């Protein structure tokens, strides 16, 4: 076990959920949870009511990198500084201000929150150095329940099993193809690939992303199914990585997303500048 997991085992999953989430996301599973949360948001674009709203705002079309960075920074300000810190409260207020400008159904809000809860757990079950423990999963769920309450979401599931059941039922009822799904998902897919590949090679990487999507998700996005050999290779590669990670020493220092240099904000950023704004409001 790592020193991080040793500390987690000494903490209470309810009283200390902020600290546990920080340790999970910045220390114990830093890369895996970041990737899982990217796919969490990606998954929501298979819902026409969600992708349609994002398409109408135009933010993904005009500056997808800023839209991605702003979302990641706001969520990371909360998790890396705890929800009740000044920066955490400012980030939650900024998120609520953006959401307040639009008519978003409570069902859609619960679903987005659900993906934040269940997708990292599923990712670690499949590809992590180890799965989340019962204590870690309880803290992860408590943290997101509390965050959802601060965002004004109603009828939030009570436990992980409730989130899991809600997400499965919601996807069965709401996943279906729409042009807005294909637009937002395609832009996001290519942006994520551009972090690893030169722009001219991004089209060659698309089938790899498709291999990580289950068939209902691919159908709702309008993505072509990859060759079976490629899907098996991608999944086998990630599982081989999980075995290798067990042989390597744990991370020694936190990996903070908020400390990362970004071309979007070469001179740093202010929380008040993140996100989208009306034409008459202040902000970037």
């Amino acid at each position: 076990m790592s020193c991080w997991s040793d500390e987690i085992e000494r903490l209470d999953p309810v009283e200390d959920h902020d600290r546990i989430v920080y340790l999970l996301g910045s220390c114990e599973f830093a890369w895996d949870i970041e990737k899982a949360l990217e796919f969490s948001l990606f998954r929501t674009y298979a819902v026409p009511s969600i992708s349609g709203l994002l398409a109408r705002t135009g933010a993904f079309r005009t500056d997808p990198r800023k839209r991605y960075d702003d979302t990641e920074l706001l969520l990371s300000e909360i998790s890396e500084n705890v929800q009740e810190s000044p920066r955490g409260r400012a980030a939650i207020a900024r998120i609520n201000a953006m959401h307040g400008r639009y008519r978003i159904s409570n069902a859609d809000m619960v679903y987005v929150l659900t993906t934040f809860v269940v997708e990292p757990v599923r990712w670690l079950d499949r590809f992590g150095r180890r799965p989340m423990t019962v204590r870690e999963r309880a803290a992860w769920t408590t943290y997101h329940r509390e965050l959802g309450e601060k965002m004004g979401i109603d009828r939030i599931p009570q436990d992980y099993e409730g989130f899991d059941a809600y997400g499965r039922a919601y996807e069965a009822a709401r996943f279906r193809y729409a042009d807005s799904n294909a637009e937002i998902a395609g832009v996001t897919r290519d942006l994520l690939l551009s972090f690893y590949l030169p722009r001219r090679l991004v089209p060659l990487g698309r089938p790899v992303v498709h291999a990580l999507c289950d068939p209902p998700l691919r159908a709702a996005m309008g993505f072509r199914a990859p060759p079976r050999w490629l899907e098996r290779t991608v999944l086998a590669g990630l599982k081989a990585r999980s075995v290798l990670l067990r042989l390597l020493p744990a991370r020694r220092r936190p990996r903070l997303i908020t400390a990362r240099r970004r071309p979007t904000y070469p001179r740093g950023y202010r929380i008040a500048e993140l996100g989208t704004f009306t034409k008459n409001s202040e902000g970037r």
Side-chain angles (χ1 to χ4, degrees):
M1 296 179 68
S2 69
C3 61
W4 313 114
S5 56
D6 287 343
E7 179 180 349
I8 290 171
E9 285 303 304
R10 295 192 297 268
L11 298 174
D12 183 272
V14 176
E15 296 298 325
D16 303 315
H17 61 269
D18 274 313
R19 177 63 179 173
I20 294 174
V21 165
Y22 169 82
L23 291 171
L24 292 174
S26 299
C27 306
E28 184 72 358
F29 302 118
W31 187 86
D32 289 276
I33 285 183
E34 181 182 5
K35 297 304 117 180
L37 289 175
E38 287 174 356
F39 271 90
S40 297
L41 285 171
F42 190 71
R43 197 167 190 86
T44 68
Y45 307 152
V47 181
S49 56
I50 295 174
S51 68
L53 174 60
L54 294 171
R56 289 193 296 274
T57 68
F60 273 90
R61 191 178 301 112
T62 58
D63 197 346
R65 178 60 193 265
K66 182 181 185 300
R67 179 67 171 76
Y68 169 87
D69 283 349
D70 288 355
T71 300
E72 184 175 53
L73 286 169
L74 285 168
L75 292 173
S76 298
E77 283 286 352
I78 301 167
S79 63
E80 293 177 5
N81 295 293
V82 313
Q83 296 183 33
E84 289 298 334
S85 69
R87 296 189 70 86
R89 290 197 299 269
I92 293 170
R94 184 81 275 279
I95 292 171
N96 289 342
M98 287 188 291
H99 289 169
R101 293 165 47 200
Y102 305 103
R103 298 181 67 178
I104 307 173
S105 74
N106 189 73
D108 285 353
M109 294 285 282
V110 175
Y111 175 64
V112 174
L113 186 66
T114 293
T115 66
F116 293 167
V117 174
V118 302
E119 291 305 317
V121 174
R122 292 173 180 170
W123 178 283
L124 291 171
D125 282 345
R126 298 176 72 194
F127 308 128
R129 180 168 53 84
R130 62 171 177 82
M132 278 194 196
T133 65
V134 173
R135 181 186 303 269
E136 290 166 345
R137 195 171 73 177
W140 188 259
T141 304
T142 300
Y143 171 92
H144 286 93
R145 272 189 50 79
E146 184 176 294
L147 178 59
E149 290 169 358
K150 288 182 169 65
M151 293 171 62
I153 302 175
D154 296 325
R155 299 185 295 280
I156 300 173
Q158 293 296 310
D159 52 25
Y160 178 84
E161 290 72 22
F163 276 109
D164 184 50
Y166 183 95
R168 293 179 189 278
Y170 181 97
E171 290 178 359
R174 305 291 183 91
F175 269 21
R176 66 177 187 278
Y177 176 79
D179 289 344
S180 57
N181 296 2
E183 176 189 352
I184 301 302
V187 168
T188 304
R189 174 201 58 202
D190 291 356
L191 174 66
L192 296 176
L193 285 169
S194 73
F195 296 163
Y196 303 96
L197 298 173
R199 188 174 298 275
R200 66 181 181 279
L201 297 182
V202 164
L204 298 179
R206 290 170 182 166
V208 175
V209 176
H210 299 175
L212 292 171
C213 301
D214 54 83
L217 180 60
R218 285 197 295 257
M221 302 293 205
F223 290 166
R224 293 180 61 182
R228 286 302 303 272
W229 67 264
L230 177 62
E231 185 172 3
R232 287 194 295 266
T233 300
V234 170
L235 299 180
L238 284 169
K239 290 179 180 178
R241 170 186 171 272
S242 70
V243 174
L244 178 62
L245 286 176
R246 294 171 202 152
L247 305 176
L248 298 175
R251 176 180 297 279
R252 294 185 177 181
R253 296 180 180 178
R255 178 177 181 265
L256 299 180
I257 289 174
T258 55
R260 189 176 302 163
R261 292 188 177 184
R262 299 168 186 267
T264 313
Y265 298 103
R267 298 180 181 178
Y269 65 90
R270 293 188 302 118
I271 292 173
E273 297 175 333
L274 300 176
T276 57
F277 297 84
T278 61
K279 291 182 179 180
N280 297 325
S281 63
E282 294 182 0
R284 185 169 181 270

